[in-house]
Every structure is written in C-alpha cells, then in structure tokens.
Amino acid sequence: MAALADRLSDTFWRRPRLLLALLLLPPVLWLGVIYVGSLFALLLQSFFSIDEFSGLVTYEFTLKTYAELLIPANFDIILRTFLMATVVTIASAIIAFPIAYYAARYAKGRWKALFYLGVMLPLWSSYLVKLYAWKLILAKEGIITWLLDSVGLLWLLDKILTIPVIGGPSLSVSYIGMFLVFVYVWLPFMILPIQASLERVPGNLIEASGDLGASNAQTFRHVIFPLALPGIVAGSIFTFSLTLGDYIIPGVIGSSRNFIGMAVNAHQGTAGNIPLAAAFAVVPIVIMVIYLSIARKMGAFDAL
Amino acid sequence: MGHPMATAVEFQNVSRSFGTIKAVDNVDLAIEEGSFFAMLGPSGSGKTTCLRLISGFDQPTSGQIRIFGEASEGVPPNRRSVNTVFQDYALFPHLNVRDNVAYGLMVKGIDKASRHKSAEDMLGLVKLNSFGDRKPGQLSGGQRQRVALARALVNKPRVLLLDEPLGALDLKLREAMQDELKSLQQALGITFVFVTHDQGEALSMADRVAVFNEGRIVQEGTPSDIYDRPINRFVADFVGSSNILAPDLVARFGGGNVWGSLRPESIRLTEKSAIVRGAVTTSRYLGAGTRIGVMVGETEIAALLPTGTAVPAQGSDVGLTWDQDALHLMGQG
Amino acid sequence: MPSDQRAPLPLKLFAIGGLLFLHLPILLIFLYAFTTEDKSYQFPPPGLTLKWFGVAMGRPDVWQALWLSVRVGAIATILAIILGTLCAAAVSRAKFFGRETISLLVILPIALPGIITGISLRSAFALMDIPFSTWTIILGHATFCIVVVYNNAVARFRRLSGSMVEASSDLGANTFQTFRYIILPNIGTALLAGGMLAFALSFDEVIVTTFTAGQQQTLPIWMLEELVRPRQRPVTNVVAMIVVLVTLLPILAAYYLTRDGDNIAGGGK
C-alpha cells in the first residue's frame, strides 16, 4: 500500500496535470455536465412551443413561446414580480443602511461581534420558519392586530387594507403583507454587504469632510453614500434576484395573483406547458444577467 | 585523506526557459563535496531557479543535473538526498518545534522514541535545547531559522540548500548567524549551497562563489578571486564598491587598453611618487575610516583612508598611489 | 471606518431596534410553541403549556421527516465537503484554463432561483432514469452545498503558504503524506465550518427539495404542507422552534471555528 502511494505520488509529480484532472473530475462532471447540461436543456425548451391541440411539445425552433410572454395575462405576471422586487430592494436598502452604518462605524469589540452574529443567525435561519412566523404575525388574530388595537389604531389597518391592488382581506393575504415578509427575509442579505463596504471607508475621511466645512448631510451625500454604493448594489443583487425567483412567499401570503416563480411552477407540471415554464424561467435569468453586468461596472463585486 | 573530493552537484549545460524567457541560460557548475558554495546575484538572475533545480521543485528544459554522480531527472524532491531551508522558513504552524524537526524522520517511518531523540540532539546543535515544546508562532525570527535548519539537517542530507537564509534577520543577528552557519558546515562536513543577493554574506561564508547575472554564471571562484580579480564591470560593481576605470585611464596607469578595477582601500595618499593627482571633491566619515572622492579628469576615484590618516580638505590637490598589482585588469568588459 | 465619537442616539436606537426586529418573529414562534390556544396565533396567548411538545413527539410523521432531514443533511454535507475541497484544492494550487469559471460553476446552483435549479435537476434525473428516492434529495442538496464548503476551503487554502507544502515534500513526504500531515490539519477547521453551514443550509432547504423528493417529506417539506394545509398549528410551532435551535448550533460553531481568520464562515452566502 505504501509502495503504491509512493508510485502514485511520483506520477503526480511527473504529471501535475494528472493530479489536477483527478481533483476536478468529480465536481466538474457533476456540476458542469449534469447540472449545467440540464439547465441548458431546460432553457432550450423555451425556444420550442406547445401544440395547442395535442398538448405535446413541438421540437421546432420558434419564438412563439416568448411571444406568449407578452400577452397581458403573462406580462402582468412579469411586471408584478419586477415591481415587487424593486420595491423590496429599495425598502431593504433604506432600512438596512442605518443598521449597517451603525455596525460599521460605532460598534466596537464585543458589540461588533454581537452585531455580526445578530445578522448572521437570521441570515442562515430557516426561510420557512420565518415565513411561518410572519403568517402568524400578520393573521387577523395575530400580534399586529393586537398591537394596533391596543393603541386604538385598528381602523387605520382596516383602511390600509381597503387600498386597491395592494390591500386585501387581511394582512396575511395581501401585497403589503408580502412586501413586509420579503423585506424581513432578505434584510440580512442587504445589511452584510453594506456593512462590509462601509467598513472599508477610512474613518478620517468623514472627519476630513467635516474639517473642510461640510455639513452632516453634505458629508453623507458626497462621501459616505458614494463609498457605500457598491455594497448597496451588491446587497440589491441578492434582494432583487431572490424576489424575482421566489414562489413560496407569494403563494402563502399572496392572493391568487401570480408571480414569475409561481408561473414557472404551475406550467412545469406534467400536464403543463414546459416551453412556457422555461420561457418564464429565462426572464429572471436575463434580468439578473443585465443587473449583474451593471453591478459589476459599479464595482459591486469587490464588496461581495 | 588524499582521495579526490567527489562532485556533490554538477550542472551540464543546464537551461530553464519559461516561454521565451531563459531564467537559466546554459549553466555549467561543479560543486565540490563538503564545500560551502554561494550563488550570488541580483534578483531575477537565475540563482534561485538553479537552487530549485537542485531540490527538484523545478525541472530543466535542457541539460543534465547530477547529484553525487546520479542523474536527477525523474527523481522527485522527496526522494532526493537534498534538503532545503526555505526563505520564509516554512515551519509547520500546527506542530511544535520538536515535531517540526522530526518531521522528515516521521514520514520515513522511524519510531517516535528514536526520532524525538534525534530531534532533540539536532536542536542542541543549533542551540535551541529547551524549545521542543514551543510552537513556531511563539518563536522569534532567528529562532525559527534555526528550527528550519535543524529540521533540514536531522535527515542527514548530502546537500543542504539555503534560500536567502539570513535576509529576514537584523544586522547583528545576521552576522552572528553567518559565523554559526560557517562553523556548523565545517563541523558536519555537509555540502552547503546557499543563494543570496548580499555580497558581504557570500564573501564571508563561502568557499567558492558563483556570480549570476541574467541566467548565466558570470564568474566563479573563491571569494578573493571575485573580490580582487573581478572578470568584468558587472562583477566588480556588484561585489563591493570598486573604482571602475575606463581603458584610457588604465592605459595611463600603465595597464593597457582594457577596463580595470581598483579597490578604494588599496589607494594611499602620497606627495612624492603619485601615480595620479586630483582635487578632493567629497569626503565621508565612516567610523572605520574616511572615504574621499578625488576627481581625476572626468572620473571620480574613491579612496578609503584608514582612521588616523589626516583627511585632506575639500578642494585640495592630492596625490594617489597604489601597488602595481592592486590595479586589476578585467579580461572582459 | 471606526469613529471615536458616540453614535447619535436615534441611529443607535434604530440599529439596535432593527437587529431586534430581525429576531423577534422567531422569538414569537418560541412563545407560540407554549400557547394553550389551539388556533395558536392569538396574541396574547391565553396561557402557557408544555403539552404540545408531547403531542409533537407523538406524531410519527414529524419524526420521519426529522430523521430524513438529518440523514439527507449529513450525507449531502459529506459529499459537499469532498467535492468542494477537491475544487478548492485545484483552484488554489494551480493555474489552468477555465479557472475562473469553476467559481462561477460552483455558485450557480445557489445563485439561480431555487425553482430553476430544482426543475433542472428533476429533468436530469428523469433523463438518467433515476427514480426519486432519498438519494435524489441528497444529490440535489449536495449540488448547492458545494459552494459553501468551497468558499471556506478556498479562503483557507489561500492562507496556506506554498512553501509549507514544498517543505513537506522536501523532507521526504509523498503527496498523500503531505495531504494527511500538513494540508489537512491546516484546512480542517475551515472544512468543518463549511460543513456545518452546509448542514444548516440543507436542513432548511425546501424549494429544490420539493422537486427532487418524490413522495418523501423532509422537515421543511412537512412544514410547507402545514403552512398550506394546517393540521395542528401548535405542533408546527414546536417543530419550527426545534428547527431554529438545530440550525443555530452549527452556525455558531462555524462562526467560532473561523473567527480569527480574515474570512468568517458564512459572511457571504
């Protein structure tokens, strides 16, 4: 056995490429061939179409399926998802920024570790548990109702729920509710990159700005914000992409209206329209590719 | 005694190219067994590459390398009877000093008791007797270097390679280590090959020196050969601060129409039988002496005056003389 | 960018408030696990009791789902550690054509929306004629867990000095001995940390799992069922609490294992 090990070791020294190939073969085979292969196969399907009468897939190259995406019912889905992703991203950025700013600038020593863990644990915590928790919180008999009731603002909630489009029978079945849950679940993803890029700003820059006569607001606008921007963009990659592809939250806390993820899910079943499902799936991928290339130009990748 | 010394390491027409760049260019070398051999040169001159060719971490693109007569081609580093002291010492942070030193014995399968004993003996040799239980992170630079040395030597290699071993140490420590390395080598009788860009180190420790430039050996010889009789301007310039004199000056001094070198310390001030006269332009007190610059025509000649000699005032006219054989005529340019 | 001044009070309050906000919903679940009320999300809870823990323990479907999640998590983690370390070793130690694409390849399963990864794997299994079983779940999880181990391993490999590996070889060790005595001890904690995060990730995952699972239920799938068609809400609360606690431990462990490095495990998901 030892002799074999020695012989093999010699061979690896003589042919380092052999060792490299052996190291890479299992993972690349699995990921590159099988995973990416089936990914392509799936996306390729978007260029096929489904025969309306037989319900079977016609394996001919066509853009008909993509055209189907443009019909109002489908396009609405895309638009809705896109809007929700945008709103969630902006809100997350606004809420995350002060938290990240405090953690980067003022938290020291034990507090810093506490903040880090405090953001890390929810980040890795179960997505479903969080969703479930919010379902309970938003429920009619849940804590929000109780809170508002005890300060006498229940009428406000009822009023909000009557707002068309984003309202609904209850918070737990409405766009507002969905929005709250999305922001909550993705917030840690936004906090960490912003904090990372803020930490890279040398403290004396802010002092220098004040020294040169800038007010706090000016310092923020001209010094802090631009330097934090890559982090914000990096975080937005997460929030945007995760919202675009999610199908569980809209299903659990949504009304019957569809989101992209749900549409993909609905169409991909055996009785469904796989080309259409694939076409829907391509949409978030394309959006994210565009978004990512813009983000890269803004230097967001350095903040990751 | 009386039998010829074997050749520990031999390079025959060895080249190592990286694409179009020749890091090592047709090098011939013969390192005698039991000698302390220095490879000296500026960074990028190919000396470190040559070291790696001996240890086996790099392969020549052409030519042959023999270690004690055996061709090293196809022999991996772990099978060569060569050990290396790396520039950054490369101690294993997760093992204590004793296990670091005993590592080479451990992978050969030697039992714990024996290898610990050998390790302790070697630690004694490098004067780190009670350090066995410490971790590398707890040691100073000089101590780490000695552990690296012990770790290499415990395997009784036939050739020990040292890659810029003293570079990271401060001046006092460096000088102390130079003495220690020299006496260690003489006591053990192992062939030491070390790489350095510091000419002072090379001259003080080595038995023979090879000066590298741009992948080639420019001159090889004893420290005295290199210092007193540099073969060309590069060597003269690199190894010590010599006066490099253009052919016309050399001809004036009776040397012929070649480039020459003249060590500042061989020049004396004189009034009567001066070989040349000039005006003093600079004067710098060095503690051990004073270095003055004397303008002769277009060339400033440096002279080192020992302490006690009267230092002439700036601008005064002085006469310089030297022994005939102090002016070294360089064969090449 | 540390500052010596004290933070403005509103900022401090908002930051701490925000942090608490992140944790409160989960703590609420803990509270609800003890409520006496059957419908369970009534606030404030009318009373507190431990009885739901007993009920939860008595439910065979809960145990089955939990056991499946643990099994899947453990094996997927081992696979992810092996594959992730292989990739990381190759990428850190050599320059080769396509090196940057490896990083992209590894992150793809987790970067793309879960539903796309799920469907792709499902069709791959169908194509290769592999029936749905525990193994398809495991393979699916291993696929997106690789990146977690990979990131940790690459960061640690980067800190491993190349000359240490050469020194080992110089002293007579062959490739395998060098791996066992020098490389492994130095990357061990990074692999462990990556493995813990991979386990946590696998334990919580639901989207890809629904596509690769067939008839079986991992714990998250069980929870999803309960979300949509609730049987006994309080039992769900208890299970949720257990899930949070089970995943809390590996995360904390991973943090402490890599705390002194410049790359803290989990910092970039």
Side-chain angles (χ1 to χ4, degrees), chain B residues 221-237:
Chain B
T222 64
S224 166
D225 290 337
I226 306 288
Y227 186 76
D228 294 322
R229 293 168 285 282
I231 204 172
N232 63 10
R233 268 178 293 163
F234 173 79
V235 178
D237 201 36

Side-chain angles (χ1 to χ4, degrees), chain A residues 84 87-89 91-92 95 122 126-139 144 170-189 239 242-243 246 248-254, chain C residues 21-22 25 227:
Chain A
M84 177 61 88
V87 172
V88 165
T89 300
S92 308
I95 299 180
S126 169
Y127 164 90
L128 269 188
V129 168
K130 291 184 219 171
L131 176 55
Y132 180 67
W134 274 91
K135 185 92 182 154
L136 297 184
I137 293 175
L138 296 171
I144 290 194
S170 120
L171 265 183
S172 71
V173 195
S174 67
Y175 280 136
I176 301 180
M178 224 190 289
F179 165 77
L180 287 172
V181 180
F182 269 129
V183 170
Y184 171 77
V185 180
W186 308 145
L187 200 58
F189 290 92
T239 57
L242 291 168
T243 313
D246 194 277
I248 294 188
I249 292 182
V252 170
I253 306 211
Chain C
F21 168 69
L22 281 176
L227 259 176

Side-chain angles (χ1 to χ4, degrees), chain B residues 24-45:
Chain B
V24 174
D25 193 358
N26 280 332
V27 165
D28 288 305
L29 199 54
I31 302 178
E32 202 181 283
E33 178 186 4
S35 68
F36 201 132
F37 193 87
M39 300 211 227
L40 175 69
S43 47
S45 54

Side-chain angles (χ1 to χ4, degrees), chain B residues 248-264:
Chain B
D248 55 321
L249 270 182
V250 176
R252 228 172 79 182
F253 301 150
N257 207 333
V258 287
W259 285 84
S261 79
L262 186 59
R263 295 292 175 195

Side-chain angles (χ1 to χ4, degrees), chain C residues 82-258:
Chain C
I82 297 176
L83 292 175
T85 311
L86 288 177
C87 266
V91 164
S92 317
R93 308 254 109 215
K95 295 191 196 352
F96 54 92
F97 174 76
R99 197 160 149 225
E100 288 80 33
T101 43
I102 297 276
S103 303
L104 180 66
L105 200 63
V106 165
I107 206 175
L108 216 53
I110 212 177
L112 292 178
I115 190 167
I116 297 182
T117 299
I119 300 180
S120 305
L121 286 173
R122 184 195 185 96
S123 52
F125 290 143
L127 213 70
M128 297 193 292
D129 237 341
I130 305 179
F132 293 123
S133 69
T134 313
W135 278 104
T136 48
I137 308 180
I138 292 175
L139 284 175
H141 281 213
T143 308
F144 58 72
C145 282
I146 292 179
V147 65
V148 180
V149 179
Y150 172 83
N151 279 342
N152 275 305
V154 162
R156 187 63 73 82
F157 267 118
R158 218 169 271 156
R159 294 204 300 169
L160 203 72
S161 78
S163 55
M164 238 201 311
V165 175
E166 280 189 352
S168 172
S169 195
D170 183 79
L171 292 165
N174 63 34
T175 316
F176 301 100
Q177 287 173 312
T178 302
F179 178 76
R180 182 173 151 205
Y181 295 119
I182 303 300
I183 299 183
L184 201 58
N186 280 293
I187 62 172
T189 48
L191 293 189
L192 202 64
M196 311 225 96
L197 290 174
F199 184 83
L201 194 62
S202 158
F203 200 78
D204 290 338
E205 212 283 331
V206 66
I207 299 185
V208 173
T209 319
T210 45
F211 287 99
T212 53
Q215 290 302 346
Q216 301 167 292
Q217 276 193 334
T218 58
L219 208 57
I221 293 186
W222 180 89
M223 279 199 70
L224 190 60
E225 265 296 308
E226 290 292 316
L227 259 176
V228 173
R229 267 182 284 271
R231 271 172 63 180
Q232 280 177 300
R233 271 258 158 76
V235 173
T236 318
N237 295 338
V238 171
V239 174
M241 183 169 135
I242 295 178
V243 167
V244 171
L245 290 174
V246 169
T247 47
L248 192 80
L249 301 169
I251 312 280
L252 277 175
Y255 174 74
Y256 278 108
L257 280 172
T258 51

Side-chain angles (χ1 to χ4, degrees), chain A residues 236-248:
Chain A
S236 70
I237 295 177
F238 288 118
T239 57
F240 205 78
S241 143
L242 291 168
T243 313
L244 275 184
D246 194 277
Y247 78 97
I248 294 188

Side-chain angles (χ1 to χ4, degrees), chain C residues 74-85:
Chain C
I75 304 180
T77 300
I78 295 175
L79 282 177
I81 290 182
I82 297 176
L83 292 175
T85 311

